[in-house]
Amino acid sequence: MKLAIFDVDGTISDSQNHITHAMTIGFEAAGLPAPSASAVLQIVGLSLPLAVARLAPEHDAETQARIVEGYKQSYKTARAASPAPLYPGAEALLRKLAARDDMLLAVATGKSRRGLRALIEYHGLERLFVSQQTADDHPSKPHPSMIGAALSEAGVDARDAVMIGDTSFDIEMGRSAGVATIGVRWGYHAPHLLEAAGAHQMVDDFDGLETTLLDLWEMSA
């Protein structure tokens, strides 16, 4: 069996509007000017406390905690009103891959367990992933803990797994865990950052991702 491990935000789901808005609210709740949208997108994939610490390094832990809480409340409200959409083509490919008898799917995300569950349930993806690893249970990316847990739950060796993501954190995490890495060009980090992090392959769209996965493992379509 092979294991394809997917990041979520910026890879499967286009949640940038939710993320940037929630971060703006979080900073406002702490009485601070909000960072630019481009700055916020550079920390997507990190666990929330670490992301906020990178965006507000000059502020103390109490202030950063207020930002985190403001973010959580805002994101929860936005998620309830309108969950983030999937990228066009994402669901079709996930279902196609999950239907194969030689491949398993997993998720490794900086989202909370509650946030991931809400997204998966809203889009009807509950049965697709054999392992769902979130920031609630692991150190932040790029620590390889999430991938290690996914490999263990799936019963797959690192040599038979690949990490797919849109940020340098995903690529660094995958390489640290000893799995192959595929960077996607449609997400939140510029492609050159993924290449600099050591992505083994880069893809432009979900059709290209399918082809790259099958070629990686010499599988037939």
Side-chain angles (χ1 to χ4, degrees), residues 6 11-12 87-90 93 186 204-211:
F6 285 84
T11 301
I12 296 173
Y87 284 106
L93 178 59
W186 58 79
D204 295 316
D205 52 37
F206 284 99
D207 287 340
L209 177 55
E210 179 184 11
T211 299

Side-chain angles (χ1 to χ4, degrees), residues 143-167:
H143 192 284
S145 175
M146 283 194 276
I147 292 184
L151 294 172
S152 179
E153 288 192 4
V156 173
D157 291 334
R159 65 176 179 271
D160 293 319
V162 61
M163 178 66 206
I164 302 156
D166 71 303
T167 72

Side-chain angles (χ1 to χ4, degrees), residues 12-14 82-87 91 95 116-126 128:
I12 296 173
S13 172
D14 188 6
S82 178
L86 302 180
Y87 284 106
E91 181 177 355
R95 293 191 182 281
L116 177 62
R117 184 184 306 117
L119 182 77
I120 285 177
E121 290 179 353
Y122 179 79
H123 292 289
L125 308 178
E126 294 93 336
L128 301 190

Side-chain angles (χ1 to χ4, degrees), residues 10-170:
T11 301
I12 296 173
S13 172
D14 188 6
S15 49
Q16 63 177 303
N17 290 337
H18 284 21
I19 292 169
T20 55
H21 177 72
M23 196 63 76
T24 295
I25 298 302
F27 271 75
E28 290 177 350
L32 299 173
S36 67
S38 60
V40 172
L41 292 180
Q42 295 311 298
I43 53 79
V44 172
L46 298 175
S47 63
L48 183 55
L50 180 56
V52 168
R54 290 202 179 184
L55 289 171
E58 70 278 18
H59 295 286
D60 60 23
E62 183 178 350
T63 300
Q64 292 178 5
R66 288 201 299 272
I67 297 172
V68 167
E69 187 57 31
Y71 178 101
K72 287 181 177 179
Q73 293 303 317
S74 176
Y75 200 100
K76 180 180 179 181
T77 300
R79 183 179 69 219
S82 178
L86 302 180
Y87 284 106
E91 181 177 355
L93 178 59
L94 291 172
R95 293 191 182 281
K96 187 175 183 180
L97 296 178
R100 297 181 64 98
D101 59 9
D102 53 2
M103 190 180 300
L104 301 171
L105 306 185
V107 164
T109 177
K111 298 177 80 66
S112 68
R113 191 182 311 106
R114 179 179 297 178
L116 177 62
R117 184 184 306 117
L119 182 77
I120 285 177
E121 290 179 353
Y122 179 79
H123 292 289
L125 308 178
E126 294 93 336
R127 297 180 178 274
L128 301 190
F129 303 105
V130 299
S131 178
Q132 299 176 19
Q133 305 301 324
T134 71
D136 289 347
D137 304 310
H138 299 280
S140 178
K141 297 177 183 179
H143 192 284
S145 175
M146 283 194 276
I147 292 184
L151 294 172
S152 179
E153 288 192 4
V156 173
D157 291 334
R159 65 176 179 271
D160 293 319
V162 61
M163 178 66 206
I164 302 156
D166 71 303
T167 72
S168 57
F169 311 128
D170 297 314

